Amino acid sequence: MTIRNSFRLAILPLIFLASCGESPKEKQKTTVQEEVKKDTVQIDSSKIQKEKEEEFVLTEENAIDFFFEYQKDLKVDKVKITTRFGSFTVQLFDNVPYHKANFIYLTRKGYFNDTQFHRIVKNFIIQGGNSDDRKTGKKRSEIGRYLLPPDTRKGHKHHRGVISMPSSEIDNPHMLASPYEFFIVVTKPGSYHLDGEFTPFGKVIEGMDVVDKINSVEIGEGDWPQQNIYIQKAEVIE
């Protein structure tokens, strides 16, 4: 065997190994590509999840199941509402879970922002959560069309400062609640004739003087304030 042939036989395994494996540069390139692909998958997954959340719409069929799950992890129970008259804070009752969850959910979705206190009845109630602005109707359609069942047997009465949910204006023999609106009792000591018909789900714990100021404004036809009273901001207190 010549020296040349011996050399060829000696380098054959090295050539074979080089052809079967990756060079350090190629391996590094493959690793980077895999990491980029992995990050892309994670970003895509997050984007898909966000799109699903944005596309989710509440209905009569899924609302109760949704709020049953939503209320399980709720650690908050206070909402601050700001108007041009000032702010007041509402604390929600834990044992009225669907109505509590609904109010927190709508607040976090920004629904109440730019809605109005559209009904003022002197020495009785102020009612909010609606308006004649198109964007309010648009927000409702994006969140969903649904009603909530009454929950009137938890021992809560319509004392002064209690926040409660009105029934829907549609044909509604079971007094299902309109989830987008609420009213606050101003009467001293309360409006107890409402007990058993509407669902109290919280109470004003700070800023009742602001509620009284709203109740004292001049009103026109249909108990609508002569000057619009907007909810400038509703925010969950974490």
Side-chain angles (χ1 to χ4, degrees):
M1 180 181 294
T2 64
I3 294 176
R4 181 179 294 178
N5 289 337
S6 299
F7 178 75
R8 288 179 63 188
L9 290 172
I11 65 172
L12 277 174
L14 296 176
I15 296 171
F16 177 75
L17 287 173
S19 65
C20 291
E22 293 180 322
S23 68
K25 288 185 178 180
E26 289 174 335
K27 186 174 182 180
Q28 184 178 11
K29 182 179 179 181
T30 302
T31 302
V32 171
Q33 288 174 339
E34 289 176 350
E35 289 297 324
V36 171
K37 184 178 180 181
K38 182 179 179 182
D39 290 341
T40 302
V41 170
Q42 290 177 343
I43 292 171
D44 289 345
S45 298
S46 299
K47 184 178 179 181
I48 291 171
Q49 181 63 30
K50 185 177 180 180
E51 287 176 351
K52 284 183 178 179
E53 290 176 358
E54 290 175 350
E55 291 173 358
F56 176 73
V57 175
L58 285 164
T59 66
E60 292 291 332
E61 288 72 29
N62 66 22
I64 295 301
D65 290 338
F66 173 79
F67 287 122
F68 176 78
E69 294 298 326
Y70 189 83
Q71 58 86 28
K72 285 182 178 179
D73 298 321
L74 274 183
K75 307 297 183 185
V76 293
D77 64 355
K78 297 180 183 69
V79 173
K80 182 180 179 181
I81 296 175
T82 300
T83 72
R84 60 185 168 90
F85 292 96
S87 301
F88 61 89
T89 301
V90 172
Q91 184 172 32
L92 307 175
F93 301 141
D94 289 329
N95 67 344
V96 191
Y98 296 114
H99 294 69
K100 174 186 175 181
N102 173 76
F103 201 73
I104 294 290
Y105 179 73
L106 293 180
T107 300
R108 285 176 169 169
K109 295 286 283 186
Y111 168 74
F112 293 114
N113 298 341
D114 299 321
T115 59
Q116 301 174 31
F117 284 99
H118 58 281
R119 183 173 178 236
I120 308 294
V121 183
K122 298 292 184 181
N123 301 315
F124 179 38
I125 64 164
I126 65 171
Q127 185 167 328
N130 204 345
S131 80
D132 53 2
D133 297 335
R134 289 184 178 180
K135 59 184 177 182
T136 298
K138 182 180 179 182
K139 284 194 285 187
R140 289 190 181 196
S141 64
E142 290 173 349
I143 295 171
R145 301 287 183 181
Y146 63 102
L147 298 174
L148 292 178
D151 194 356
T152 61
R153 299 181 181 181
K154 297 298 176 62
H156 302 297
K157 296 183 177 298
H158 285 83
H159 299 299
R160 171 175 159 82
V162 157
I163 181 171
S164 189
M165 196 168 288
S167 60
S168 171
E169 294 179 356
I170 66 172
D171 185 17
N172 188 11
H174 300 293
M175 299 295 286
L176 299 180
S178 174
Y180 291 107
E181 298 182 30
F182 62 90
F183 66 86
I184 298 172
V185 177
V186 177
T187 317
K188 299 177 182 180
S191 292
Y192 305 116
H193 65 285
L194 302 176
D195 296 346
E197 294 189 18
F198 305 96
T199 302
F201 62 95
K203 62 181 179 180
V204 176
I205 60 171
E206 185 177 348
M208 192 62 194
D209 59 316
V210 175
V211 176
D212 288 332
K213 287 178 183 177
I214 295 172
N215 187 250
S216 67
V217 301
E218 294 184 12
I219 56 175
E221 294 182 5
D223 300 322
W224 196 282
Q226 288 190 350
Q227 292 187 339
N228 290 334
I229 305 172
Y230 282 97
I231 294 175
Q232 297 170 344
K233 186 176 184 181
E235 55 192 317
V236 176
I237 299 177
E238 302 289 347

